[in-house]
Amino acid sequence: MSNAPIAAPDEVQISERDATYLRQAIQLSRTARERGNRPFGAVIVAPDGEVLVEAWNRNGETGDCTAHAETNAVRMASPRYPREVLAAATLYSSGEPCVMCAGAIFWSSIGRVVYGIDAVRLRVFRGERQEQRDAELFCRDVFDASPHPIECIGPALIDEAAEPHQGGWKV
């Protein structure tokens, strides 16, 4: 296994529809930061465009280390909507879902994920502080192990998704 740094993935182009909801998740990441949390937001959207839930990272507010935006969104959506509805939905995330959030997405049966800034670029903001580091596993690794398909699109709108992270992490 090489110790060479992993290159950041190229930005992908997304549809206007996807850009609209991804920007909504990015706006929620700003809300999270304004409230003293790490800047992440998520939106789950049905195929007809109905926003099922919106969430942001709340670990600063709650002290709950698992209160990530995507996991919060799944926690809100799972009791409200049957698996068939979630399987047809898209989760938009301002940042690439971490391993825990990817697992929550898998368990919820959400069938599609679109994310902003990728984990490689996020690590630059996180720095080397132990409590800010992540498990260096990508959401696609989790999704690829799923017995049901989970379409994953990203990174997209990288500069917009990165903006709330500027100066938002301890160095």
Side-chain angles (χ1 to χ4, degrees):
M1 181 177 241
S2 170
N3 287 340
I6 297 172
D10 292 335
E11 184 166 13
V12 299
Q13 296 302 308
I14 57 175
S15 70
E16 275 305 309
R17 173 189 164 98
D18 284 343
T20 296
Y21 295 115
L22 183 53
R23 285 187 173 106
Q24 193 170 341
I26 293 167
Q27 183 55 44
L28 289 165
S29 76
R30 291 184 187 99
T31 299
R33 182 169 174 181
E34 290 164 6
R35 295 175 65 123
N37 305 292
R38 293 192 176 137
F40 295 96
V43 181
I44 300 176
V45 180
D48 67 0
E50 177 189 358
V51 174
L52 303 178
V53 298
E54 297 179 319
W56 59 82
N57 182 310
R58 296 179 58 101
N59 57 7
E61 291 175 79
T62 64
D64 178 356
C65 65
T66 69
H68 293 193
E70 303 92 333
T71 297
N72 289 339
V74 167
R75 284 180 182 145
M76 293 165 56
S78 302
R80 287 192 199 155
Y81 301 99
R83 283 186 161 320
E84 303 77 44
V85 170
L86 294 178
T90 299
L91 184 143
Y92 294 89
S93 177
S94 64
E96 181 175 350
C98 72
V99 174
M100 176 186 69
C101 292
I105 292 164
F106 159 75
W107 286 111
S108 73
S109 296
I110 290 171
R112 187 168 182 264
V113 174
V114 178
Y115 69 87
I117 188 170
D118 57 276
V120 174
R121 288 178 178 89
L122 275 171
R123 289 181 189 123
V124 173
F125 291 108
R126 292 176 188 272
E128 293 299 317
R129 292 178 64 105
Q130 190 60 36
E131 75 274 11
Q132 294 181 163
R133 295 193 68 194
D134 66 328
E136 294 190 14
L137 190 65
F138 300 100
C139 67
R140 280 184 174 88
D141 297 328
V142 175
F143 299 155
D144 288 346
S146 170
H148 60 268
I150 303 172
E151 181 182 9
C152 185
I153 301 167
L157 306 179
I158 295 170
D159 291 341
E160 291 178 51
E163 184 271 323
H165 293 275
Q166 299 289 335
W169 293 84
K170 298 175 187 170
V171 281

